[in-house]
């Protein structure tokens, strides 16, 4: 439904919706989720966002907070094991 709301002129067959629109919707949602996650990682100092007027922003590890990032990953993995 979200795809059709964003693209009100769209029309497709059952096969087209299944093959392409559902895949496109999944990618769209993953882009949104990844954007939020990257923003969170930048705001917490784990990543650095590098912007340029000529290219899309890119992200890299904030070496100054490498230890904190490693600890974050370790704690996150511990939490996943406990919830299993």
């Amino acid at each position: 439904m979200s795809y059709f709301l964003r693209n009100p002129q769209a029309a497709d067959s059952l096969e087209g919706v299944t093959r392409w629109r559902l895949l496109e919707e999944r990618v769209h949602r993953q882009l949104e989720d990844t954007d939020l996650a990257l923003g969170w990682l930048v705001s917490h100092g784990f990543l650095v966002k590098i912007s340029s007027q000529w290219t899309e922003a890119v992200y890299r590890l904030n070496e100054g907070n490498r230890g904190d990032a490693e600890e974050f990953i370790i704690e996150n993995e511990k939490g996943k094991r406990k919830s299993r």
Side-chain angles (χ1 to χ4, degrees):
M1 183 46 114
S2 295
Y3 170 81
F4 287 107
L5 289 171
R6 283 193 316 275
N7 302 280
Q9 301 303 315
D12 212 336
S13 65
L14 169 63
E15 184 175 348
V17 168
T18 304
R19 287 183 185 264
W20 304 111
R21 304 306 169 214
L22 293 177
L23 176 62
E24 184 177 313
E25 185 62 25
R26 187 176 307 134
V27 169
H28 180 78
R29 287 185 183 169
Q30 286 177 329
L31 280 169
E32 290 175 345
D33 291 347
T34 302
D35 184 47
L36 290 172
L38 287 169
W40 188 91
L41 291 167
V42 169
S43 72
H44 284 79
F46 297 123
L47 296 180
V48 175
K49 181 178 180 179
I50 303 166
S51 298
S52 166
Q53 66 183 35
W54 299 284
T55 63
E56 289 184 64
V58 294
Y59 301 85
R60 66 170 177 78
L61 179 65
N62 180 351
E63 284 291 339
N65 287 341
R66 183 183 188 99
D68 291 341
E70 290 171 346
E71 183 63 29
F72 173 76
I73 294 296
I74 290 168
E75 291 300 318
N76 191 45
E77 289 300 317
K78 285 180 185 176
K80 284 182 183 176
R81 282 181 278 205
K82 285 181 183 177
S83 67
R84 288 182 188 168

